[in-house]
């Protein structure tokens, strides 16, 4: 069985825990006898879905609608945030240094230096934090916290768990796509972090960019911090501190480069804030507007169509 299988099973288990019951909207049999005329019409499944708060709506529907929201609204908003564009650009530039000369491979040198400084004692700690960021651990934590919140009357805990699951699934989807497209080799096996290695050498992996552990950890930290941080500041410190340690552990164990975890952290934070923003549909958004217009070049006398994106 491939190594990716546990993550797939974990995602399925998470969906089963957090998705609304299949028969929640099933209509009951109409009452018999004289009471039938006075009985109010039963609410349909769609009515029940619309009356629920956002976090209690179908996780499947939220996940699919997130993809549309991502391109029509969210990317436009994030493009205006220096706190997103600057670290993202820095991470990409740092990652691109792996294609330079030996003296210019800053990303590679940073990883090798950090990995060499990790002692046996530190390795044990790093593995513990890496395990904390595994998919299975996330499923157990979110599943347990959701059930505790729902049946214990702690709606904010249940909401944080539900939104975190949504953010993790969004993050996992796009980090997987980016890993497949970029095909960057991991530091292990003598690789130097080059991109587009679709057929890596034996003993090497091409799933380095970006870090899935870092993106998932920061997505979860962002959601919990967003819902609890204002009232309980310690939650933000613990959540982001743990996410930072998870990211650092991936570099220390030789599984990722610094740029991998930087970009992964930015992606996770962005998706975490996105699901928080979706709780408030009236929030202002910088929508991405696409316009097509005819174009004509008088010099070459060629006609065409001009595509313009505005955000």
């Amino acid at each position: 069985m491939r190594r990716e299988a546990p993550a797939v099973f974990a995602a399925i288990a998470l969906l089963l825990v957090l998705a609304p019951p299949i028969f929640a909207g099933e209509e009951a049999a109409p009452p018999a006898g004289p009471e039938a005329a006075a009985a109010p019409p039963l609410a349909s499944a769609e009515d029940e879905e619309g009356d629920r708060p956002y976090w209690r709506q179908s996780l499947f529907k939220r996940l699919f609608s997130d993809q549309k929201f991502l391109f029509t609204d969210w990317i436009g908003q994030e493009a205006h945030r220096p706190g997103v564009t600057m670290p993202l650009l820095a991470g990409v530039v740092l990652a691109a240094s792996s294609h330079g000369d030996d003296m210019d491979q800053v990303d590679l040198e940073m990883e090798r230096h950090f990995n060499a400084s990790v002692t046996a004692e530190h390795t044990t700690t790093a593995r513990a934090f890496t395990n904390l960021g595994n998919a299975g651990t996330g499923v157990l934590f979110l599943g347990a916290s959701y059930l505790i919140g729902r049946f214990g009357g702690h709606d904010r805990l249940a909401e944080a768990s539900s939104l975190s699951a949504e953010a993790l699934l969004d993050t996992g989807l796009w980090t997987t796509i980016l890993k497949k497209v970029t095909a960057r080799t991991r530091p292990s096996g003598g690789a130097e972090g080059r991109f587009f290695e679709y057929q890596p050498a034996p003993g090497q992996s091409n799933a380095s960019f970006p870090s899935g552990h870092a993106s998932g950890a920061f997505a979860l930290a962002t959601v919990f911090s967003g819902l609890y941080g204002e009232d309980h500041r310690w939650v933000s410190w613990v959540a982001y501190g743990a996410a930072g340690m998870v990211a650092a552990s991936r570099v220390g164990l030789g599984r990722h480069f610094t740029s991998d975890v930087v970009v992964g952290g930015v992606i996770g934070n962005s998706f975490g804030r996105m699901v928080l923003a979706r709780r408030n549909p009236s929030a202002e958004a910088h929508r991405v507007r696409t316009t097509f217009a005819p174009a004509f070049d008088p010099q070459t006398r060629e006609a065409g169509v001009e595509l313009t994106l505005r955000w």
Side-chain angles (χ1 to χ4, degrees):
M1 183 179 292
R2 298 179 60 187
R3 292 184 178 180
E4 290 84 351
V8 175
F9 295 144
I12 294 174
L14 188 61
L15 289 172
L16 293 176
V17 170
L18 296 180
I22 296 176
F23 300 105
E26 188 178 68
E27 295 186 358
E35 296 84 358
L42 293 170
S44 66
E46 292 184 359
D47 293 335
E48 292 183 1
E49 183 80 3
D51 293 339
R52 295 192 185 109
Y54 177 79
W55 62 273
R56 287 191 59 194
Q57 296 175 18
S58 170
L59 182 59
F60 298 98
K61 292 182 179 179
R62 283 153 48 195
L63 181 64
F64 285 121
S65 63
D66 281 347
Q67 311 318 309
K68 177 182 177 181
F69 181 82
L70 174 66
F71 288 99
T72 59
D73 292 71
W74 193 245
I75 291 179
Q77 294 189 48
E78 295 295 84
H80 290 79
R81 298 180 185 272
V84 174
T85 56
M86 293 182 66
L88 187 62
L89 179 61
V92 171
V93 171
L94 184 62
S97 69
S98 59
H99 282 275
D101 298 331
D102 291 342
M103 296 299 294
D104 296 328
Q105 294 180 347
V106 180
D107 205 15
L108 177 62
E109 295 301 323
M110 290 175 62
E111 189 280 329
R112 286 178 174 174
H113 178 75
F114 187 34
N115 181 254
S117 66
V118 176
T119 63
E121 181 180 355
H122 293 156
T123 298
T124 302
T125 303
R127 287 175 178 168
F129 277 104
T130 281
N131 293 334
L132 185 65
N134 287 343
T137 306
V139 168
L140 291 176
F141 171 74
L142 293 179
S145 60
Y146 180 81
L147 294 176
I148 292 172
R150 290 286 286 126
F151 293 104
H154 305 289
D155 281 353
R156 182 156 57 164
L157 177 60
E159 180 180 13
S161 304
S162 177
L163 294 179
S164 293
E166 180 182 353
L168 285 175
L169 291 172
D170 284 327
T171 301
L173 171 65
W174 285 101
T175 53
T176 300
I177 292 174
L178 289 173
K179 284 175 181 289
K180 297 295 184 181
V181 172
T182 58
R184 188 187 194 190
T185 53
R186 294 183 185 271
S188 56
E192 297 183 347
R194 294 189 176 274
F195 287 86
F196 312 118
E197 297 290 336
Y198 296 106
Q199 294 181 343
Q204 297 182 1
S205 170
N206 60 353
S208 188
F209 186 87
S211 168
H213 278 70
S215 60
F218 274 92
L220 190 149
T222 301
V223 173
F224 271 84
S225 177
L227 291 179
Y228 283 95
E230 186 173 347
D231 299 333
H232 308 281
R233 289 190 172 275
W234 64 268
V235 174
S236 297
W237 286 98
V238 171
Y240 282 117
M245 292 302 295
V246 170
S249 71
R250 302 302 287 164
V251 181
L253 293 175
R255 299 298 295 163
H256 283 287
F257 296 95
T258 304
S259 60
D260 298 336
V261 300
V262 169
V263 174
V266 173
I267 292 174
N269 175 263
S270 179
F271 276 112
R273 287 184 292 102
M274 185 184 81
V275 299
L276 289 173
R278 298 214 63 194
R279 297 164 62 234
N280 182 15
S282 62
E284 181 181 359
H286 297 278
R287 298 183 65 87
V288 179
R289 294 177 174 84
T290 304
T291 58
F292 294 90
F296 178 75
D297 188 342
Q299 295 182 350
T300 61
R301 303 183 66 83
E302 294 181 350
V305 179
E306 182 182 58
L307 170 63
T308 304
L309 299 177
R310 292 186 177 90
W311 60 84

